[in-house]
Amino acid sequence: MTDRRPLIGVSTYLEPGVRWAVWDLEAALLPAGYPRLVQRAGG
């Protein structure tokens, strides 16, 4: 039997010059609450 849950796409936005430790890169970001709410809803 296959998994019948829907595939959910979440849009992000590009932010230039994001810094994590030694990296300074362009990054695709979204507010942390978005994936949490999708997960709580069963996505």
Side-chain angles (χ1 to χ4, degrees), residues 2-21:
T2 62
D3 190 359
R4 301 301 245 162
R5 291 184 296 174
L7 176 63
I8 299 170
V10 179
S11 297
T12 62
Y13 59 93
L14 289 178
E15 189 68 32
V18 177
R19 297 195 60 171
W20 283 283

